[in-house]
Amino acid sequence: MSAKPNSKFKSWKGKDKATEDSSGFDDLNPTITYRHLSAHNLGVRDPLRVIALCDSDAFYAACEMIRLGIPDKPLVVLQWQSLIAVNYPARTFGITRMMNIDKAKELCPELVVVHVATYADGEQEPAYRDNPDTRTHKISLDIYRRESVKMLQLYKQGLPENAEVEKASIDEAFMDLTRPVRQILLDRYPHLARVPDDAPMGLDTPIPPPPQVSWNELGTLVPINPAQESDADSDDIPSTWHDVALSIGAELMEKVRQEIKAKMGYTTSAGIARNKFLAKLCASYRKPMGQSILRNAAIPNYMKPMAFQKIRFLGGKLGNALAAEYDVSTVGDLLSITLDEMQNKFGEESIWVYEVLRGIDYSEVKEKQTLNKSMLAAKNLPEPVTKLSEGYQWIRTLAAELALRLNDARETTPNLWPKTLVLSARDVRAHESRRSKQAPWPFVREVNVDVVAAAAEKLWKDLIDPHASLKIINISLGFTGIEGIESGLKSIDTFFKAPTPKRPLEDDTTNDDTAAKPSSKNISKDLSSFVCSRCGQRSSLPQSAIQTIAERQSALALMQMEHEDFHLALDLSKVPDPARPLREAGRVAVTKPAKKKRRKESPPRGIAKFFGKS
Ligand code: DCP
Ligand code: CA
């Protein structure tokens, strides 16, 4: 299919409804008007949308190659007996993931085999061992998590500020390049930024034809006509403005990928297309070190031969139902099903199936909160724990992992505080098979294995009946309610002045502060408790491990604020307009960002039955 200029002028406004035409690839070359270019945010329906998915090549294996300084040797990463990552040199020997390790060594005797790091009882840090024992060790993926965080930061730094970056998995990120691309496009073609005086339809006038894109050095083009001579189509077919946008996106991606390679050593592969679904699909078109570009005109022939059950969400019951209903296997086979027919059979919402088969996807690239609200360390036990004392070894191991992860996270967000420590255990024999206990986490700045293990051991004692017969097969230990209190601390500073020689800290307790804020005058001299001026209740800090004045100050301030929030919530429950007291109080909970509406991520209701557990 060629990208002929669209003769039909379509209004830029309004929803592009999925077409009733059964083949339906009718949105591949939309007319671009001055209005499109001047609009600030057309969001997911921007006709010049450019999305990229960047994926690290053989990620865990690459982390190990870099750690060990052996860039070219065949290497695999092992987790117990399973191969979980195979580098590209090893793949040339025919080694694949999930292959038996003995078979892999047979295929490549010089294979470097790295077992993922493990925690052992009593150790604060994971270590690399050749033969860890599942009965006494626990897997650590911390090194990969750390590298993943660094890489995500580099993506953000390496792309223009108005690009959106969303972590998709440990080694993948989506990038919405639409806005930076638009800016570059207008800089390069400034005549597009202004509607000509003689434009017949003013802002709605289509912009002049685009230049021919030279794709050299920008990546591999998914061919428009795969049956033809491979490169013929790139020069022969007139470029569209969307192609120009994709080519600018490809320049940005080339640059950021080179930076990742130069600064961290990792090679990556990218897919660039008009939406997330297609960017992800074509990212694996050329791997490793590939950058694949899917022009709109190439979408139909790329999609048609694809086994539709390979598409995410179409692999399960819904895919089976579609295959059974129409006795077909490829996307092309399903294109003859009209929208009406599909909706009659599978409900109104099956429009998204109809659209995805035609390469349409309106999902957003949204930066997720980088801060994980919770952290969990879990272990499936090789031998069930049958009595209380047998649990301590695992609790220490889990505590070490949790402490390390919190400290890692504190490297990027220094003032992270978990609210709660949760311990849970799964007992195969008990009626209610998973039970848990939790406790508020004390305000300790230095979190190490001893502190976490001590708190977890208490929970363990509470959780486990020493006289009951046990068969615990899984234990998990986690922090929940993790929040960064940087912003909170700033406001804390305003009423907890740093102690100065002239005005010792104790003086603060008599310092009269404003009534609207938590006031320091109710704080005890030894910084161990405060009394609420509204309800008279005294709240005390746990005596545990809070060492310095600064720690006590921030801990007390947080406690006060939480107490204030409790009153605020109580007030809110008593008044008809929930916004009023909040406005009057002039503040919201310090550490909690305003709740955003969550996008529904689950598939639509009418076809929900196809998504249940099989
Ligand atoms: N991983 C895992 N178990 C799996 C799949 C993956 O532990 N079943 C880990 C190891 C991989 C990492 O996740 O290195 C990323 O997964 P990918 O699917 O992206 O695979 P790779 O990055 O290893 O290879 P590729 O170059 O094909 O992306
Ligand atoms: Ca990968």
Side-chain angles (χ1 to χ4, degrees):
M1 177 187 263
S2 69
K4 291 190 195 103
N6 198 347
S7 54
K8 185 174 58 165
F9 174 70
K10 280 201 288 188
S11 160
W12 75 283
K13 280 188 208 165
K15 283 187 168 183
D16 289 335
K17 284 201 108 181
T19 172
E20 293 294 325
D21 165 19
S22 64
S23 68
F25 290 104
D26 71 341
D27 63 340
L28 303 176
N29 188 9
T31 303
I32 311 297
T33 67
Y34 290 96
R35 192 184 292 277
H36 286 121
L37 296 185
S38 63
H40 285 297
N41 190 7
L42 295 175
V44 296
R45 288 172 192 271
D46 193 317
L48 296 181
R49 199 169 181 232
V50 180
I51 308 293
L53 181 280
C54 202
D55 174 20
S56 285
D57 300 322
F59 182 53
Y60 288 10
C63 292
E64 300 302 346
M65 286 152 73
I66 289 166
R67 183 180 67 85
L68 297 169
I70 42 171
D72 302 317
K73 293 199 173 145
L75 179 148
V76 291
V77 177
L78 202 59
Q79 178 173 320
W80 308 129
Q81 287 308 304
S82 308
L83 291 187
I84 55 169
V86 180
N87 76 357
Y88 283 81
R91 291 186 201 189
T92 62
F93 291 85
I95 298 172
T96 58
R97 189 189 276 161
M98 298 305 167
M99 182 180 270
N100 177 294
I101 181 64
D102 295 331
K103 168 87 180 152
K105 280 186 190 156
E106 215 176 274
L107 289 172
C108 174
E110 72 267 35
L111 187 67
V112 179
V113 180
V114 181
H115 192 284
V116 298
T118 48
Y119 290 95
D121 180 22
E123 289 180 3
Q124 298 213 11
E125 293 275 330
Y128 283 93
R129 296 164 240 267
D130 287 338
N131 291 304
D133 187 338
T134 177
R135 288 167 305 179
T136 47
H137 294 78
K138 183 187 176 313
I139 295 298
S140 156
L141 302 177
D142 303 293
I143 166 178
Y144 314 125
R145 287 196 193 105
R146 267 181 225 160
E147 294 297 277
S148 168
V149 168
K150 279 192 220 156
M151 209 183 291
L152 199 70
Q153 281 168 345
L154 277 188
Y155 285 135
K156 288 180 192 164
Q157 285 164 15
L159 289 170
E161 234 174 75
N162 51 357
E164 199 80 34
V165 180
E166 173 190 318
K167 181 180 169 171
S169 74
I170 192 153
D171 73 334
E172 292 174 324
F174 281 110
M175 289 135 211
D176 188 337
L177 306 172
T178 313
R179 289 202 288 169
V181 161
R182 176 72 44 90
Q183 207 172 321
I184 295 168
L185 190 125
L186 290 175
D187 286 347
R188 284 190 195 166
Y189 308 100
H191 65 286
L192 301 180
R194 213 187 130 265
V195 186
D197 295 338
D198 58 353
M201 286 179 280
L203 268 177
D204 291 318
T205 308
I207 59 175
Q212 192 64 13
V213 175
S214 164
W215 297 99
N216 297 337
E217 316 286 317
L218 292 180
T220 306
L221 290 174
V222 176
I224 293 168
N225 295 305
Q228 284 181 8
E229 282 297 300
S230 58
D231 283 344
D233 56 15
S234 57
D235 293 329
D236 296 351
I237 289 170
S239 297
T240 65
W241 277 112
H242 190 258
D243 291 339
V244 178
L246 285 176
S247 70
I248 298 172
E251 288 170 31
L252 294 173
M253 286 312 296
E254 194 59 47
K255 179 174 160 278
V256 79
R257 290 176 49 245
Q258 277 175 19
E259 277 176 23
I260 298 269
K261 174 82 178 82
K263 292 185 178 158
M264 296 182 71
Y266 295 102
T267 67
T268 53
S269 297
I272 304 164
R274 68 175 178 180
N275 59 39
K276 287 172 88 171
F277 163 66
L278 293 173
K280 164 88 180 150
L281 265 186
C282 77
S284 51
Y285 186 74
R286 282 279 178 279
K287 259 185 141 310
M289 290 181 278
Q291 174 157 301
S292 307
I293 303 159
L294 180 65
R295 291 161 296 172
N296 286 359
I299 294 172
N301 285 336
Y302 184 57
M303 293 291 299
K304 281 178 190 169
M306 200 172 286
F308 67 81
Q309 285 179 287
K310 290 229 166 109
I311 294 175
R312 200 169 160 233
F313 293 134
L314 294 183
K317 285 185 187 176
L318 179 58
N320 290 340
L322 284 164
E325 176 68 27
Y326 301 113
D327 191 21
V328 290
S329 62
T330 67
V331 169
D333 296 335
L334 279 178
L335 292 176
S336 58
I337 317 298
T338 65
L339 179 60
D340 269 354
E341 204 178 335
M342 202 170 271
Q343 288 183 316
N344 284 340
K345 200 87 215 162
F346 296 98
E348 284 284 305
E349 299 88 349
S350 59
I351 186 165
W352 75 265
V353 178
Y354 184 90
E355 287 182 332
V356 98
L357 294 172
R358 286 152 181 85
I360 298 169
D361 171 22
Y362 293 126
S363 52
E364 275 177 282
V365 174
K366 267 225 135 106
E367 189 170 336
K368 293 190 188 120
Q369 254 205 323
T370 45
L371 182 60
N372 267 335
K373 289 269 181 187
S374 54
M375 284 174 189
L376 192 75
K379 172 79 186 172
N380 286 326
L381 306 179
E383 303 278 337
V385 161
T386 55
K387 53 182 190 228
L388 186 102
S389 60
E390 289 171 3
Y392 293 117
Q393 163 206 355
W394 291 117
I395 284 175
R396 253 193 106 66
T397 307
L398 296 172
E401 180 177 355
L402 211 53
L404 186 106
R405 285 179 55 193
L406 185 69
N407 288 324
D408 263 3
R410 280 179 171 177
E411 272 177 23
T412 35
T413 317
N415 288 303
L416 281 182
W417 299 86
K419 282 219 172 85
T420 315
L421 181 72
V422 188
L423 176 79
S424 88
R426 177 184 280 276
D427 189 320
V428 273
R429 286 206 231 161
H431 187 57
E432 192 187 327
S433 64
R434 181 172 281 286
R435 287 175 302 148
S436 56
K437 282 273 174 208
Q438 60 183 58
W441 179 250
F443 295 96
V444 278
R445 181 158 294 278
E446 203 201 320
V447 175
N448 56 35
V449 57
D450 295 328
V451 177
V452 182
E457 281 167 12
K458 270 193 194 161
L459 292 176
W460 178 246
K461 280 184 202 146
D462 281 356
L463 186 70
I464 302 303
D465 174 355
H467 308 296
S469 68
L470 304 170
K471 202 171 179 190
I472 290 168
I473 53 161
N474 172 287
I475 302 179
S476 71
L477 185 66
F479 283 133
T480 62
I482 302 169
E483 292 187 337
I485 57 164
E486 245 152 343
S487 54
L489 279 176
K490 273 184 200 125
S491 61
I492 291 165
D493 287 345
T494 61
F495 77 100
F496 267 136
K497 301 272 186 321
T500 61
K502 274 195 165 178
R503 194 160 166 257
L505 230 167
E506 284 79 356
D507 284 356
D508 274 353
T509 56
T510 55
N511 182 23
D512 207 77
D513 230 317
T514 55
K517 281 184 179 172
S519 161
S520 60
K521 74 177 173 186
N522 299 325
I523 293 172
S524 66
K525 287 192 177 183
D526 63 354
L527 290 174
S528 69
S529 65
F530 75 94
V531 176
C532 173
S533 53
R534 291 184 67 175
C535 65
Q537 183 187 313
R538 175 175 291 277
S539 305
S540 303
L541 283 177
Q543 285 310 305
S544 62
I546 298 181
Q547 307 291 349
T548 66
I549 289 175
E551 279 175 25
R552 289 192 163 271
Q553 285 175 339
S554 47
L556 261 184
L558 257 181
M559 238 168 130
Q560 272 193 304
M561 281 190 247
E562 281 179 3
H563 192 82
E564 283 277 309
D565 286 342
F566 157 76
H567 279 296
L568 198 67
L570 217 61
D571 292 346
L572 289 176
S573 67
K574 289 177 193 156
V575 291
D577 172 10
R580 193 162 58 97
L582 212 74
R583 285 196 298 268
E584 283 168 3
R587 62 178 283 260
V588 288
V590 181
T591 54
K592 289 174 192 153
K595 270 195 178 165
K596 283 188 185 165
K597 268 193 186 170
R598 272 177 61 87
R599 262 176 66 83
K600 254 174 73 176
E601 289 196 348
S602 51
R605 266 177 306 152
I607 41 175
K609 61 183 173 202
F610 294 106
F611 292 91
K613 283 186 183 153
S614 349

